Amino acid sequence: MTVASPYAPELARMPVTTRVLPVRGSDTHVWEYGSGGLDDEARREAGTLVIVVHGYRGDHHGLEPVIAQLNRPGYRIVAPDLPGFGVSTPLDAVHDLDGYVDWLRAFAELVRAESPDARVVIVGHSFGSIVVAASIAGPSGIPVDAAVLINPIAAPALKGPRGVMTRIAIGYYQLGAAVPEKLGHVLLSSPVMVQVISVTMAKTKNRPLRRWIHDQHHRYFSAFANRTVVLDAFRASVSNDVSEYAERITAPTLLIAADKDDITPLAAQHRLQEAMPDARLVVLDDVGHLIHYERPIEAAAAIDAFLEPAS
């Protein structure tokens, strides 16, 4: 039985539309949210364009709790399913970091052209933080006015607080690659493994919220196109991190980190902030790698304060 979202009332108040954009060989499914309407004229008149990039093995649903708190006049929020995940079809390229960066740059160019006068803000969670960082770094990066990285992967995952767990995960994915394809797909989408991952990451002691988080993972965590996609993207997620691009990210950047994140230690988040030319760090207590599920209200408040500073 589906567990009702605690953030459903806020999300229900936001107009939403869906469409499909062909980008780099992927039929990329896109959800657009905005208080001013979502036709072509409303897109042109948007004052702020927010592009939202979800994490590994998720889809656009994961960041909807944060999106639900950002119902602001003039905001156009665009949330695609990454190619090969959710209902978006795979790329016509390898699903490594380069493939996703090339896709995101092309995708951003398309949606920016529809809102030519808008302030552009790009948001990435977890693996999405790596894709966003690599996509906006340097002179060839996506031109943005601001960036927000939620649970940023600030250091190599193998060096995180649960580096041993990461190595176990690597072994799990290696096994999924070694067995015949049909069996590999079954193994990689195993409800037992999804439950183990969900229980490990959730830190809240609120039982209804935990049930909803587990339900979300079971509903969406195994929505990937095929074994190759999920294995390529996993390798990319553990082989790269945001710190590689920090010095070349010149846009003002908000880092929203957690004190109990199993993937990145808090000290690495502080080092990441120091390495970036213009970064602000907000740390949320008593939460781990699921800020978007457990603390979306606080995350959205931090984003509001960052984007609309007091004059």
Side-chain angles (χ1 to χ4, degrees), residues 171-181 184-185 187-188 227 231 235:
Y172 165 62
Y173 283 101
Q174 286 176 336
L175 177 60
V179 299
E181 184 168 357
H185 193 283
L187 178 64
L188 292 170
R227 179 175 67 169
L231 292 173
R235 295 185 190 101

Side-chain angles (χ1 to χ4, degrees), residues 1-3 57 189-199 210-223 293:
M1 184 177 72
T2 300
V3 180
R57 281 190 68 160
S189 58
S190 164
V192 174
M193 291 304 300
V194 170
Q195 183 71 10
V196 169
I197 293 168
S198 189
V199 168
R210 288 183 70 90
R211 283 197 297 271
W212 175 72
I213 290 170
H214 299 333
D215 178 68
Q216 289 288 288
H217 283 138
H218 282 289
R219 291 178 67 189
Y220 305 120
F221 205 62
S222 296
Y293 282 149

Side-chain angles (χ1 to χ4, degrees), residues 40 69 72 88 92 104 114 119 123 134 206 236-237 255 291 296:
D40 290 343
Q69 316 303 319
R72 305 288 180 268
S88 291
D92 57 6
L104 181 56
E114 297 171 330
R119 169 180 60 168
V123 179
N206 182 312
S237 72
L255 308 173
I291 286 174

Side-chain angles (χ1 to χ4, degrees), residues 1-18:
M1 184 177 72
T2 300
V3 180
S5 168
Y7 312 108
E10 293 90 346
L11 194 62
R13 287 193 284 269
M14 295 186 75
V16 58
T17 189
T18 63

Side-chain angles (χ1 to χ4, degrees), residues 88-251:
S88 291
T89 62
L91 298 167
D92 57 6
V94 178
H95 292 74
D96 57 8
L97 185 59
D98 288 343
Y100 280 116
V101 167
D102 182 56
W103 165 84
L104 181 56
R105 287 176 173 171
F107 176 82
E109 184 177 357
L110 283 175
V111 296
R112 285 180 67 245
E114 297 171 330
S115 303
D117 299 321
R119 169 180 60 168
V120 179
V121 180
I122 191 162
V123 179
H125 171 257
S126 189
F127 176 55
S129 75
I130 305 174
V131 176
V132 167
S135 298
I136 66 175
S140 62
I142 301 168
V144 297
D145 296 288
V148 177
L149 306 182
I150 303 172
N151 288 122
I153 309 299
L158 289 173
K159 297 181 180 179
R162 294 204 176 200
V164 172
M165 289 296 292
T166 303
R167 290 182 177 86
I168 291 173
I170 289 174
Y172 165 62
Y173 283 101
Q174 286 176 336
L175 177 60
V179 299
E181 184 168 357
K182 185 175 181 180
L183 177 58
H185 193 283
V186 171
L187 178 64
L188 292 170
S189 58
S190 164
V192 174
M193 291 304 300
V194 170
Q195 183 71 10
V196 169
I197 293 168
S198 189
V199 168
T200 300
M201 291 193 296
K203 304 302 179 188
T204 180
K205 294 180 173 60
N206 182 312
R207 290 186 178 181
L209 182 58
R210 288 183 70 90
R211 283 197 297 271
W212 175 72
I213 290 170
H214 299 333
D215 178 68
Q216 289 288 288
H217 283 138
H218 282 289
R219 291 178 67 189
Y220 305 120
F221 205 62
S222 296
F224 50 86
N226 55 56
R227 179 175 67 169
T228 299
V229 166
V230 78
L231 292 173
D232 286 349
F234 175 74
R235 295 185 190 101
S237 72
V238 299
S239 302
N240 303 274
D241 65 86
V242 176
S243 69
E244 300 171 47
Y245 308 97
E247 295 179 357
R248 295 184 287 127
I249 297 175
T250 57

